[in-house]
Amino acid sequence: MKQLTSFLFFVCWAMFANAQSTSLLTQSVFFATDSHQLSPNEVQNLDVLVPQLDTYADYSIEIKAHTDNRGSNGYNQQLSERRADAVYQYLVQKGIKSTKTNSTALGENQPLYNNADAEGQQKNRRVDVLITTYLFDSLEQLLKRATQDNLQTFYIEPAQNRTITARNGTTIAIAAGSLTYPDGTTPTSTITLQLREALSTADILLENLNTVSNGQILETGGMVYLAAQANGKNLEVKSGSNLQISMPTTKVQNGMELFYGKQNANKTINWEPANVSFTQKTTPQNDALPPINFDFLKITVPLSSLPAQPTFATAMPPKLIKPTKPYLPIAPQPPKRARFKYQPKFPQSLFISKAKIKEIEEDRFRRKMKAHEKSNQMYQQRLARYEQSLKNYAQQDSVFAPQQQQWEAELQNRIDELNQFATQYANYEATQRLKTALPKWYEILPQLAKAVGTDYNKIDQLHNTIILSLLKETNKVKFDGVNFLLLNQMALGQEVMDDKKLLEEHKLQNSTQYRTNVNNQIVQLFDELCYAKIEELRQQVSEQLVKMGKFSTNSLNQYVSEVNTLGWINCDRFYSYPDADKVAITIAETSKSSIYAVCKDIKSMLPIYEKGGVYVSDKLPKGLAIKLVSIKLDKGKPQLAIVDTEVGSQAVYKLNYHSCSLNELKQQIKAMN
């Protein structure tokens, strides 16, 4: 039985039409009789699987749950659903994206092994996890994946003043009405603000940025990306208005200026000076303040009522079959006398007369004509049937369109009711999960309080951490809800449920969409209950700090400026170096790569460009201490090379790469900070 607990891998390489390589990983998770609990051994097998997905550009997961044939069909169907959900929930807790996962509960209907004996039954008590993985097919895709977690999203109301604090300490002060559509009109709906911070060397490299302005070297204090939308339309800073941006720094440099990023033809960024200076600011973090009391996060969840399941008086009518237009029968063609020629063979041709030959030809022609007359009679009968069929078709076709419209409307009405119920039930399940998970979640609040201490400026930064920890706890809650597969089958019929294309056209909500809705409802409900309290607390503390007017030794230094343009924003100063000989760096590299010269003594990242089959830098001062950093792909896998050197120490470099996972690449780049 070793095979029942061992980790099963099948790797099948394939090529897509777009030349993107894929592989298929398959793992089976086995269960005890009448159980959906994951055993420690199966948990260990899943723990082996998850880190491997970091090596790939993307993935999709299909979860297929099975049972043996003991018990009723309905009970086994529900048991397989619980098993699928157990695997799904565990994978989500380990960091698998729920949007990339789809679950199918098959019950006892598709056994892979014979249920006649105990061994076959044990093998059928399983969940198959089928993972299609996609290798990186471009360097751009690799870098995009490496920085996907850098994107932060905030929601603000256009009529309210708002200050947001990003994950790494950047703050953006947004005055009411300062973001508008390009035509100058002000949005009335919630604004989605997206932000990226590139404050460290690693972030700047992985974001594929640099510190160059029109060929001159810059020394950076940090970079931030801002974008805003409302109703799916881009916003910009209102003419005459500004946003205030503050970037944290541990080392204050004088002469820092504001730069805006403009994309070059080769898709690299060039920093255009805005002729605006950054000022320096110290944000108070006063030790005299009491530690933050997170009891304000202890909330009372207003439970939503259990929605009534939709019921339908009759079964869904069967799908209509479009009438087929009858084919016009082909009229038989009469035989032509000239084609009937008799040519006797030797020696008969020596004795037969012309009259006899003609007699034979006439006889054959008469027989053919008789057969033709019979065929023509049959044709006339077919023609009469065709004309009747054509009348029937015209009559059926005239009513098919309205009947089909009526059937489609009935189907859509039922799907709308099912989707509405699923949305209402997702809200119900969200409140139930949230209420059940809160007592356990409250136990980790002291850890959050300890991490924050008296730093009230970190409250907004903790928002994402709070949400993630809360979702983790709610996903642990065991919730036996509605069997949506059975409900949909009863409402729509098996014929419709088997037509996946039809369901997609009419947008029946699937299990993945439902699970996403539940998580979204949890986040939305928590935000509605707590975010106002977070804002209120932050405002009260800000007022108290102003009244105290004291700054502690733990004060945080910041660069502050006002910006009137969204996109990439840079806090930099031009780097002045003594007059010296300058030389270019040449790297013997033929593969497409992202290569930088990272300065050791100043915070500067200088791009090295592909030119004539090699990579060449701009001319740099001799003796400048740098690290050469290069990232490329080999057979879809990341490759990294890092070399310590000085400008001018050698003419041409040939880099030695090593293969690594995406996570390993990020860790080695971060080590350069």
Side-chain angles (χ1 to χ4, degrees):
M1 306 309 294
K2 183 178 179 181
Q3 60 178 324
L4 297 181
T5 56
S6 63
F7 181 65
L8 304 180
F9 270 130
F10 302 94
V11 182
C12 309
W13 295 98
M15 295 299 291
F16 271 23
N18 63 358
Q20 184 179 41
S21 297
T22 67
S23 64
L24 178 66
L25 308 179
T26 303
Q27 180 183 349
S28 293
V29 179
F30 296 92
F31 293 84
T33 301
D34 196 26
S35 172
H36 63 275
Q37 301 296 327
L38 293 171
S39 69
N41 189 64
E42 299 302 339
V43 166
Q44 184 177 2
N45 288 339
L46 291 174
D47 288 343
V48 172
L49 172 67
V50 172
Q52 298 188 51
L53 299 183
D54 184 60
T55 307
Y56 299 94
D58 204 354
Y59 59 85
S60 60
I61 300 178
E62 182 75 23
I63 296 173
K64 295 187 176 182
H66 305 266
T67 68
D68 59 31
N69 65 346
R70 291 178 292 177
S72 68
N73 196 312
Y75 179 81
N76 285 334
Q77 179 63 38
Q78 294 181 2
L79 177 59
S80 67
E81 290 178 0
R82 292 195 295 272
R83 287 175 176 171
D85 192 58
V87 173
Y88 168 85
Q89 296 292 350
Y90 187 79
L91 291 176
V92 170
Q93 291 174 30
K94 301 301 288 186
I96 296 297
K97 291 181 173 57
S98 60
T99 55
K100 296 182 179 296
T101 306
N102 187 49
S103 299
T104 304
L106 298 169
E108 63 181 69
N109 297 317
Q110 295 184 20
L112 185 60
Y113 301 95
N114 192 339
N115 275 313
D117 54 56
E119 182 179 1
Q121 291 173 344
Q122 187 173 7
K123 291 180 179 179
N124 284 329
R125 294 193 298 270
R126 74 185 192 283
V127 169
D128 292 329
V129 183
L130 310 174
I131 305 175
T132 302
T133 60
Y134 305 90
L135 295 174
F136 293 104
D137 57 10
S138 70
L139 189 58
E140 290 77 9
Q141 188 184 53
L142 168 65
L143 295 175
K144 183 177 180 180
R145 174 69 181 278
T147 58
Q148 64 181 5
D149 294 334
N150 291 0
L151 185 64
Q152 303 169 58
T153 303
F154 301 87
Y155 301 96
I156 61 178
E157 296 305 319
Q160 298 178 4
N161 295 332
R162 177 73 186 277
T163 298
I164 63 171
T165 304
R167 189 180 301 138
N168 296 317
T170 301
T171 62
I172 312 291
I174 306 168
S178 59
L179 293 173
T180 63
Y181 293 114
D183 62 4
T185 58
T186 303
T188 56
S189 59
T190 300
I191 294 173
T192 301
L193 184 74
Q194 292 189 321
L195 181 149
R196 289 179 177 272
E197 294 174 289
L199 306 180
S200 68
T201 299
D203 288 338
I204 294 171
L205 290 178
L206 293 174
E207 289 283 2
N208 206 22
L209 301 170
N210 62 66
T211 56
V212 176
S213 175
N214 300 319
Q216 292 182 269
I217 298 176
L218 299 174
E219 181 178 6
T220 186
M223 307 173 188
V224 172
Y225 174 81
L226 292 175
Q229 282 192 338
N231 289 325
K233 299 179 180 178
N234 292 332
L235 301 177
E236 57 187 35
V237 180
K238 181 181 178 181
S239 178
S241 297
N242 294 289
L243 311 182
Q244 188 184 77
I245 183 170
S246 300
M247 297 184 189
T249 181
T250 56
K251 182 181 179 182
V252 176
Q253 303 279 15
N254 294 322
M256 286 296 185
E257 299 180 33
L258 174 66
F259 292 76
Y260 293 117
K262 304 295 181 183
Q263 193 173 65
N264 294 322
N266 60 2
K267 296 186 178 180
T268 61
I269 291 288
N270 180 65
W271 297 104
E272 297 287 348
N275 299 317
V276 175
S277 296
F278 272 88
T279 59
Q280 298 172 18
K281 173 185 173 183
T282 303
T283 301
Q285 295 175 241
N286 200 287
D287 293 333
L289 289 172
I292 297 175
N293 185 351
F294 277 85
D295 286 344
F296 76 93
L297 291 178
K298 295 185 177 180
I299 57 178
T300 301
V301 180
L303 295 183
S304 63
S305 58
L306 178 65
Q309 291 191 23
T311 57
F312 303 95
T314 60
M316 182 68 195
K319 289 197 292 185
L320 300 177
I321 300 176
K322 183 176 175 61
T324 303
K325 187 176 182 178
Y327 290 102
L328 176 67
I330 300 175
Q333 298 299 316
K336 295 182 178 180
R337 174 65 181 83
R339 293 182 179 178
F340 289 85
K341 298 293 183 180
Y342 178 66
Q343 295 179 343
K345 296 181 180 180
F346 183 84
Q348 186 183 16
S349 59
L350 300 176
F351 307 104
I352 191 169
S353 66
K354 292 182 179 180
K356 185 63 176 177
I357 291 176
K358 185 176 181 180
E359 181 184 346
I360 294 173
E361 291 177 347
E362 290 291 341
D363 180 62
R364 291 183 177 182
F365 175 69
R366 282 193 299 272
R367 280 184 285 156
K368 195 66 176 178
M369 279 296 298
K370 188 174 182 180
H372 167 71
E373 291 171 359
K374 186 174 182 180
S375 296
N376 195 51
Q377 291 176 358
M378 296 176 63
Y379 164 73
Q380 294 299 328
Q381 294 172 0
R382 289 197 300 270
L383 186 61
R385 289 196 298 269
Y386 163 76
E387 291 174 349
Q388 183 60 47
S389 297
L390 192 62
K391 292 179 181 179
N392 295 339
Y393 165 76
Q395 182 179 4
Q396 294 170 4
D397 190 57
S398 65
V399 298
F400 172 77
Q403 288 179 345
Q404 179 67 14
Q405 290 178 357
Q406 184 178 358
W407 186 88
E408 293 271 357
E410 173 67 16
L411 175 63
Q412 191 61 60
N413 287 337
R414 293 189 179 217
I415 288 179
D416 289 345
E417 285 194 47
L418 292 170
N419 286 344
Q420 182 180 11
F421 171 72
T423 300
Q424 294 171 346
Y425 198 84
N427 184 54
Y428 171 75
E429 180 177 341
T431 56
Q432 293 291 335
R433 285 185 177 275
L434 186 57
K435 181 181 179 182
T436 306
L438 282 176
K440 185 70 176 177
W441 182 68
Y442 290 151
E443 296 177 7
I444 71 171
L445 287 183
Q447 301 174 25
L448 298 177
K450 184 177 180 181
V452 176
T454 61
D455 187 356
Y456 284 75
N457 296 293
K458 290 184 179 178
I459 294 175
D460 283 343
Q461 297 176 49
L462 281 170
H463 182 253
N464 288 342
T465 303
I466 290 171
I467 291 298
L468 289 175
S469 62
L470 184 62
L471 285 177
K472 184 176 181 181
E473 291 301 324
T474 57
N475 282 329
K476 292 179 182 178
V477 174
K478 302 302 179 184
F479 184 83
D480 293 328
V482 171
N483 185 335
F484 281 96
L485 178 62
L486 184 60
L487 176 65
N488 293 342
Q489 286 176 340
M490 292 176 62
L492 305 179
Q494 191 62 49
E495 182 184 26
V496 172
M497 291 298 294
D498 289 340
D499 193 336
K500 302 302 181 185
K501 183 178 180 181
L502 184 65
L503 295 180
E504 289 179 3
E505 290 175 352
H506 289 269
K507 299 180 180 179
L508 177 66
Q509 189 176 125
N510 59 39
S511 58
T512 300
Q513 293 169 328
Y514 175 79
R515 182 57 50 201
T516 301
N517 285 345
V518 172
N519 287 338
N520 289 342
Q521 289 283 357
I522 291 172
V523 173
Q524 182 177 342
L525 181 60
F526 181 81
D527 271 352
E528 289 174 355
L529 294 171
C530 290
Y531 204 80
K533 296 182 179 180
I534 293 175
E535 286 292 290
E536 181 181 353
L537 175 64
R538 186 181 59 78
Q539 185 64 31
Q540 291 174 356
V541 172
S542 298
E543 293 173 357
Q544 185 177 354
L545 289 170
V546 171
K547 291 178 181 178
M548 293 177 65
K550 295 181 179 180
F551 298 88
S552 75
T553 56
N554 293 328
S555 296
L556 177 67
N557 293 312
Q558 293 176 309
Y559 293 121
V560 183
S561 184
E562 291 186 337
V563 300
N564 57 21
T565 303
L566 302 182
W568 276 108
I569 299 162
N570 196 352
C571 172
D572 279 79
R573 66 177 182 176
F574 288 103
Y575 174 63
S576 299
Y577 44 84
D579 291 338
D581 293 336
K582 297 180 184 178
V583 294
I585 295 173
T586 300
I587 298 177
E589 177 59 67
T590 57
S591 301
K592 184 175 182 180
S593 307
S594 177
I595 307 180
Y596 285 88
V598 180
C599 300
K600 293 184 181 181
D601 299 327
I602 60 172
K603 196 172 180 182
S604 294
M605 284 60 67
L606 310 175
I608 301 179
Y609 308 102
E610 192 277 331
K611 184 178 181 181
V614 294
Y615 279 75
V616 182
S617 72
D618 293 330
K619 288 187 176 182
L620 304 175
K622 274 189 176 182
L624 185 66
I626 61 171
K627 284 180 180 284
L628 292 176
V629 181
S630 181
I631 303 170
K632 68 175 184 178
L633 290 177
D634 183 23
K635 297 179 181 178
K637 297 293 186 71
Q639 307 287 311
L640 176 64
I642 301 178
V643 176
D644 282 284
T645 187
E646 287 186 357
V647 176
S649 61
Q650 66 184 79
V652 179
Y653 291 85
K654 184 171 178 60
L655 304 181
N656 293 320
Y657 291 86
H658 66 274
S659 181
C660 55
S661 71
L662 180 59
N663 188 56
E664 290 169 341
L665 182 145
K666 291 166 65 175
Q667 292 303 319
Q668 292 180 53
I669 294 293
K670 286 180 179 179
M672 298 175 60
N673 291 338

